């Protein structure tokens, strides 16, 4: 019988996940279907239950259900537990296994696709919600020289630094303190949703070193205000989150199917499509 997977979110019609997973399945010869489920904002559990009852094997979870999926899981992987959010579920009997591959996907994209080592580098992470939280552990695992978290709501950045303090060298700051004592970073990651609305987090050009990688987690928005600022600052490399999207999908695919797809051709095809 053909195995069923889906991505659940609201809104979800824009999702590229069906395209990505269909490409992976075709490439690896896996017999599966992958659809989209738009659940009502208060209807995650019901929609997930219905999918499971119909034989569903796994779900990708996107906005706004990453916390609902966290509550729904029976078995949380460390990445999901520490991120406080879930982006992939696997159903086996009564068990609901949960994971979060966003951070691993980000690091894979930076290190392997873009060729930027994180080890020994100065990393600035903008944002302190789900996407930023998920990135912290995988970044720390690469042993950066320092990881600084900055968020508009300062208390969230300080809370994250405190929560992950046992896992590596990290600290927090406000945007105003960052502006007051300019410091350059080797990798600056925009994990805020500011670019979704054409906004710019209040960072100065000083944060980008000349060799800097400026990484925008949002994808498909072209030269966002953040990437434009980095370009003006002379950052060596600009990247958006399309590679992260495909890499986190690949991690979920391996977790579900036990087969690793090739991501390069899928990233290339999706990049062209988004342009
Ligand atoms: P949330 O909406 O939960 O996070 C919002 C974050 O952005 C908060 O830290 C918020 O600060 C900050 N923020 C919003 N607007 C501004 C602004 N104008 N200036 C400064 N900070 C701002 O989103 P997620 O954490 O889930 O995701 C962040 C982005 O990453 C999303 O836009 C999403 O598209 C992208 N993403 C991409 C993925 C990929 O695979 N490429 C995967 C996951 C996410 P405050 O706390 O003060 O409100």
């Amino acid at each position: 019988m053909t195995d069923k997977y889906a991505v659940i979110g609201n809104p979800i019609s824009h999702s590229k996940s069906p395209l990505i997973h269909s490409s992976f399945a075709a490439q690896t010869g896996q017999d599966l279907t992958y659809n989209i489920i738009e659940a009502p904002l208060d209807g995650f559990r019901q929609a997930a239950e219905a999918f499971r009852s119909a034989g569903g094997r796994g779900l990708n979870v996107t906005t706004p259900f990453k916390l609902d999926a966290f509550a729904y899981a029976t078995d949380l992987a460390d990445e999901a537990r520490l991120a406080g959010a879930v982006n992939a579920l696997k159903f086996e009997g009564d068990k609901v296994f949960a994971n979060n591959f966003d951070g691993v996907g980000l690091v894979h994209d930076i290190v392997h696709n873009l060729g930027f080592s994180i080890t020994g580098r100065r990393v600035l992470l903008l944002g302190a919600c789900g996407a930023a939280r998920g990135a912290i552990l995988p970044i720390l695992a690469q042993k950066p020289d320092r990881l600084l978290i900055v968020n508009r709501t300062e208390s969230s950045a300080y809370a994250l630094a405190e929560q992950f303090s046992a896992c590596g060298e990290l600290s927090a700051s406000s945007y105003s303190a960052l502006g007051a004592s300019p410091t350059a970073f080797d990798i600056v990651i925009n994990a805020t949703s500011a670019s979704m609305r054409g906004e710019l987090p209040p960072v100065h050009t000083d944060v980008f070193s000349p060799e800097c990688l400026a990484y925008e987690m949002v994808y498909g928005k072209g030269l966002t205000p953040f990437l434009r600022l980095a370009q003006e600052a002379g950052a060596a490399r600009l990247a958006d989150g399309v590679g992260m999207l495909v890499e986190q999908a690949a991690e979920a695919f391996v977790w579900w199917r036990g087969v690793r797809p090739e991501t390069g051709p899928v990233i290339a095809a999706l990049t062209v499509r988004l342009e």
Side-chain angles (χ1 to χ4, degrees), residues 55-252:
R57 298 288 303 274
L59 286 171
N60 279 131
V61 182
T62 188
T63 314
F65 297 128
K66 290 183 178 182
L67 297 182
D68 297 85
F70 186 91
Y72 184 59
T74 60
D75 290 71
L76 287 163
D78 281 351
E79 289 76 7
R81 189 172 47 76
L82 283 161
V86 159
N87 91 328
L89 294 172
K90 181 162 66 173
F91 306 126
E92 285 179 8
D94 290 344
K95 298 275 191 189
V96 179
F97 293 97
N99 218 319
N100 188 325
F101 296 115
D102 282 339
V104 178
L106 167 76
V107 166
H108 197 99
D109 194 35
I110 291 176
V111 175
H112 298 287
N113 299 340
L114 301 170
F116 266 76
S117 172
I118 296 174
T119 311
R121 301 297 180 88
R122 301 159 296 177
V123 182
L124 174 61
L125 184 64
L126 310 178
C129 284
R133 294 176 74 100
I136 293 173
L137 210 53
I139 290 174
L140 288 177
Q142 297 290 311
K143 305 245 178 294
D145 174 54
R146 66 180 296 213
L147 171 61
L148 180 66
I149 306 166
V150 178
N151 194 45
R152 185 174 58 182
T153 306
E154 296 166 30
S155 54
S156 313
Y158 288 108
L160 278 190
E162 171 69 27
Q163 184 194 338
F164 286 91
S165 58
C167 306
E169 198 53 51
L170 85 166
S171 54
S173 170
S174 63
Y175 282 107
S176 53
L178 186 66
S181 55
T183 313
F185 291 83
D186 305 305
I187 301 174
V188 181
I189 302 166
N190 186 10
T192 77
S193 56
S195 299
M196 297 300 286
R197 295 174 299 282
E199 296 168 4
L200 177 66
V203 278
H204 195 261
T205 48
D206 291 340
V207 298
F208 303 97
S209 74
E211 310 76 31
C212 181
L213 165 67
Y215 196 100
E216 169 73 83
M217 279 196 188
V218 168
Y219 56 88
K221 297 277 183 197
L223 197 63
T224 63
F226 168 77
L227 291 177
R228 195 172 304 117
L229 183 79
Q231 190 180 57
E232 282 163 18
R237 187 80 190 262
L238 312 179
D240 78 358
V242 70
M244 172 181 176
L245 176 74
V246 175
E247 293 299 344
Q248 65 76 28
E251 295 299 328

